[in-house]
């Protein structure tokens, strides 16, 4: 990421959300983005994913400026190389656990989608819940399904936005432990937005945002 800024214009004028952000991450690195509410953490993560376009600057993945690609090419890059975990789980309510995890594999044309999804759900402790729909799963179980969906494609990069924010402390501890276990097994580059200092301390790097600027 090189000199990335993000501004939005409203009735009061121009609001700067991110201001001249530059950093790089290596393969298999773990990094936590930390800062107060409103500091720009989630916006930064969205730009890293190519979901939100910066007002200025470049985001490069494997040497390619992702905002030099059209929307379809960016979506293809995300599907092939990135996994996502959100605070609100983002599961599809009309699909059961197995179908939710199969979906990204099916979009890739994988013939082994069902077997791979089943194995990943068993890995996260949900082998007995394959046919259950999100509405009958607990918050911790839903987040485990979300983790299985993110890791089943073996992403090079995992982007996680407050993955324990909707969970109670004990469940959150179990889920974050699983995040780091799966990350070690897969050798993924992990970028994690969190307000929890203990979680941030488990990452090799901490990127501190304050009022849209990256602190030295």
């Amino acid at each position: 990421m090189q000199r990335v800024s993000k501004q939005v214009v409203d009735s009061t004028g121009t609001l700067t959300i991110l201001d001249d952000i530059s950093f790089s991450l290596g393969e298999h690195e773990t990094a936590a983005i930390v800062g107060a509410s409103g500091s720009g953490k989630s916006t930064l993560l969205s730009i890293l994913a190519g979901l939100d376009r910066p007002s200025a600057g470049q985001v490069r993945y494997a040497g390619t400026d992702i905002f030099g690609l059209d929307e379809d090419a960016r979506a293809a890059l995300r599907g092939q190389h990135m996994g996502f975990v959100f605070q609100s789980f983002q599961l599809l309510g009309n699909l059961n656990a197995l179908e939710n995890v199969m979906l990204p594999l099916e979009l890739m044309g994988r013939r082994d989608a069902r077997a791979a999804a089943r194995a990943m759900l068993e890995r996260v402790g949900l082998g007995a819940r394959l046919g259950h729909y999100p509405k009958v799963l607990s918050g911790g179980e839903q987040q485990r399904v979300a983790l299985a969906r993110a890791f089943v494609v073996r992403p090079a990069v995992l982007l996680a936005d407050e993955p324990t924010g909707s969970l109670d402390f004990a469940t959150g501890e179990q889920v974050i432990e699983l995040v780091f276990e799966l990350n070690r097994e897969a050798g993924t580059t992990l970028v994690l937005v969190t307000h929890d200092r203990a979680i941030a301390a488990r990452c090799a790097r901490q990127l501190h945002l304050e009022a849209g600027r990256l602190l030295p």
Side-chain angles (χ1 to χ4, degrees):
M1 176 174 284
Q2 298 175 327
R3 309 208 68 175
V4 164
S5 296
K6 177 69 176 181
Q7 289 90 28
V8 296
V9 178
D10 60 18
S11 59
T12 62
T14 300
L15 174 66
T16 297
I17 300 174
L18 296 173
D19 187 5
D20 199 26
I21 305 290
S22 296
F23 65 88
S24 60
L25 296 172
E27 292 184 15
H28 318 310
E29 193 166 2
T30 57
I33 301 173
V34 297
S37 179
S39 61
K41 303 187 300 295
S42 292
T43 300
L44 179 57
L45 199 72
S46 292
I47 290 174
L48 280 172
L51 293 167
D52 192 1
R53 182 178 288 274
S55 303
Q58 291 186 333
V59 178
R60 293 186 171 274
Y61 176 77
T64 298
D65 177 8
I66 65 174
F67 292 104
L69 304 173
D70 63 26
E71 193 168 322
D72 288 344
R74 285 201 306 277
L77 183 145
R78 283 193 295 272
Q80 294 169 12
H81 301 285
M82 296 181 182
F84 301 90
V85 181
F86 303 95
Q87 178 177 339
S88 55
F89 317 135
Q90 299 288 343
L91 301 178
L92 295 178
N94 62 326
L95 301 182
N96 62 32
L98 182 61
E99 291 165 342
N100 264 283
V101 179
M102 286 172 61
L103 184 59
L105 297 172
E106 291 177 326
L107 292 173
M108 296 169 66
R110 289 267 299 270
R111 294 185 177 182
D112 64 338
R114 181 172 295 272
R118 180 186 294 272
M120 183 55 73
L121 281 165
E122 290 173 352
R123 171 63 187 83
V124 301
L126 292 177
R129 308 286 270 172
L130 303 180
H132 290 68
Y133 288 84
K135 66 181 180 181
V136 299
L137 297 174
S138 69
E141 288 172 333
Q142 289 185 64
Q143 195 60 295
R144 285 170 180 262
V145 174
L147 284 173
R149 182 182 59 187
F151 277 104
V152 76
V153 298
R154 307 292 291 185
V157 179
L158 180 74
L159 304 173
D161 192 358
E162 298 280 9
T164 62
S166 296
L167 306 175
D168 62 72
F169 178 79
T171 304
E173 286 283 293
Q174 295 170 359
V175 165
I176 204 65
E177 187 64 37
L178 188 56
V179 169
F180 282 100
E181 282 181 15
L182 292 172
N183 193 68
R184 283 192 297 270
E185 291 171 10
T188 302
T189 297
L190 172 66
V191 185
L192 177 75
V193 167
T194 183
H195 66 277
D196 189 315
R197 292 184 179 182
I199 293 174
R202 297 186 63 169
C203 294
R205 289 177 64 186
Q206 291 82 45
L207 304 170
H208 294 267
L209 284 181
E210 185 174 299
R213 293 191 65 87
L214 189 62
L215 299 181

